[in-house]
Amino acid sequence: MYKDISITWTGDITSIAGSAQHARQLLEPLINGGAHIKLEPRKPGVPEIQLTPWWIDTIQRLSQAPPGMVCINHGHPKQMRKNEVGGPTILFTHWDTYNLPREWMETINDYDQVWTPTNTMSANIASITKKDSPILPYCLQDSDFTYDHAAEIDGVDKNTFVFGTTGHWNNRRNITDLITAYIGTFSSSENVALVIKTIANDSFNPNSRVELIKVINAIKSGFNKRDIPKIIIIQDPLDEKAMNEVINRFNCFVTTSRGDSKNITMLKCMAKGKPCIFPILHANSDIVATMNTDKFNNYLYPVTHSAIPVMQMGQYYSAYDFWANINIEQVMVSMKKVFFDSKDPSFGKSKHLIAAVKKSYTKYVLPDLIRNVQPTAIQSLI
């Protein structure tokens, strides 16, 4: 099916990060379809996921393959890997805040084409580079639309309504605002739980779980109430199957992230017809634009925000950048409404939401993007 395609793919393939999950999801059909692929895994800055034996063998085998005709760099532009065979060099990149880093501008025009996961970032790239910026979105699989086994989570019985979130514990993910909204909305007398699948900011610190509990206890102490609702932290490393089982247990996905270039967990929850509460920004604004959220007002709850200067300087963010200040009151109102609606016997999976997600997020466009840039003369020789 894909034997005419020849690529080198360099980037993070092995970590728990959403970008690595996106890479694995994009590459697997090409590999199984007979494409020529050389893999050059880049060492991730976050812990590695528990890969399946198939992925371990595939990465080892394809790391020894000769270079492909099209070189795809998945990551930041300064991590450029030149094309050894003289074919096109592609950048597939993403960013989480309003402005692209200024230092990117020095190298981004060196690429033949720049691919992004969202319309929002594509427009941003195109306005700066004056080049087309094709969109390479996350593509949901058939399995994402099925209700497989849900994880059994300690402290959560089968009747507990679970608000769930996933993500790295850092300033951008802003899980502290979510906890604040949740505690301010519910009490221990209500059969509800907030399940947070996360890793700590210092993800290689063996004491990070203890430190997270300290942060949560500090938030709790700010409330003048004793009946704090249930909060459960899952920090153990999980393979993708176990991760999907945790997501299956969510009754509602909720995020207060200050910026996201993609939101794979939310799409997976939407694919199962589950309600989602999320700020309207970046990747999420694409979802709002793609799908008429007014049709799903009992399932999709967009939350407004204002722009504030980035609070986390360092390797990835700069002082001139902005991200979102989430409207916590709207999050609280939305969580209360979802929980109240869940008591109605008619509450359940939204077939209309599932159909809309299937229409918008199941198109596998990577082969066509590669064929569009891979020289025709080369294709005929493969």
Side-chain angles (χ1 to χ4, degrees), residues 47-312:
E48 295 188 335
I49 199 168
Q50 297 178 19
L51 293 170
T52 63
W54 182 86
W55 265 114
I56 294 171
D57 175 72
T58 297
I59 291 173
Q60 184 177 17
R61 176 172 53 87
L62 296 185
S63 295
Q64 308 302 316
M69 298 298 178
V70 177
C71 183
I72 301 171
N73 291 261
H74 186 200
H76 295 176
K78 285 187 172 275
Q79 298 169 317
M80 186 174 191
R81 197 267 198 212
K82 299 281 188 179
N83 194 323
E84 295 180 21
V85 298
T89 301
I90 307 299
L91 172 65
F92 176 36
T93 193
H94 53 88
W95 193 243
D96 303 307
T97 60
Y98 286 87
N99 304 314
L100 296 177
R102 291 173 183 172
E103 57 270 22
W104 282 23
M105 300 307 105
E106 301 171 11
T107 55
I108 204 166
N109 281 307
D110 293 337
Y111 291 89
D112 294 290
Q113 209 170 63
V114 181
W115 301 345
T116 70
T118 66
N119 288 285
T120 304
M121 187 167 182
S122 173
N124 202 340
I125 291 282
S127 68
I128 295 168
T129 63
K130 309 304 180 186
K131 296 180 180 179
D132 288 336
S133 181
I135 299 163
L136 183 53
Y138 190 83
C139 176
L140 292 164
Q141 308 297 301
D142 289 342
S143 59
D144 291 318
F145 293 88
T146 61
Y147 241 99
D148 297 325
H149 176 69
E152 294 184 6
I153 299 172
D154 290 342
V156 176
D157 64 44
K158 64 179 182 180
N159 296 317
T160 301
F161 190 92
V162 174
F163 289 95
T165 198
T166 63
H168 202 148
W169 190 292
N170 55 28
N171 285 338
R172 179 177 65 83
R173 284 292 187 177
N174 192 33
I175 296 174
T176 53
D177 268 5
L178 173 55
I179 294 172
T180 300
Y182 170 73
I183 295 175
T185 304
F186 300 105
S187 69
S188 59
S189 63
E190 296 167 292
N191 194 9
V192 63
L194 174 62
V195 173
I196 303 168
K197 174 63 187 84
T198 189
I199 57 173
N201 195 36
D202 183 358
S203 49
F204 299 99
N205 183 348
N207 298 316
S208 58
R209 182 178 181 83
V210 175
E211 293 172 4
L212 290 188
I213 297 299
K214 288 180 180 178
V215 172
I216 293 172
N217 287 337
I219 297 172
K220 290 179 179 178
S221 67
F223 287 83
N224 186 23
K225 59 191 291 187
R226 293 184 179 181
D227 55 342
I228 299 294
K230 192 174 296 182
I231 299 173
I232 296 168
I233 302 289
I234 301 175
Q235 205 179 333
D236 302 324
L238 302 176
D239 60 26
E240 288 192 24
K241 180 176 181 295
M243 184 69 185
N244 286 333
E245 290 176 353
V246 170
I247 294 171
N248 285 344
R249 184 58 188 87
F250 294 173
N251 296 107
C252 174
F253 175 78
V254 56
T255 176
T256 50
S257 176
R258 298 186 184 281
D260 282 311
S261 59
K262 66 187 73 65
N263 205 324
I264 296 171
T265 302
M266 186 167 82
L267 282 176
K268 287 187 174 185
C269 287
M270 290 170 61
K272 291 177 169 60
K274 298 183 179 186
C276 297
I277 302 168
F278 56 94
I280 314 171
L281 46 80
H282 311 306
N284 301 342
S285 63
D286 271 31
I287 293 172
V288 172
T290 302
M291 303 171 60
N292 182 0
T293 53
D294 290 340
K295 292 174 60 179
F296 310 106
N297 56 6
N298 290 325
Y299 287 89
L300 298 184
Y301 295 83
V303 175
T304 60
H305 67 279
S306 57
I308 59 172
V310 166
M311 297 180 294
Q312 176 183 333

Side-chain angles (χ1 to χ4, degrees), residues 11-17 19-20 24 41-49 79 203-204 315-316:
D12 175 12
I13 306 170
T14 61
S15 86
I16 62 173
S19 55
R24 292 189 295 270
R42 187 176 295 132
K43 185 173 177 59
V46 295
E48 295 188 335
I49 199 168
Q79 298 169 317
S203 49
F204 299 99
Q315 181 180 2
Y316 296 117

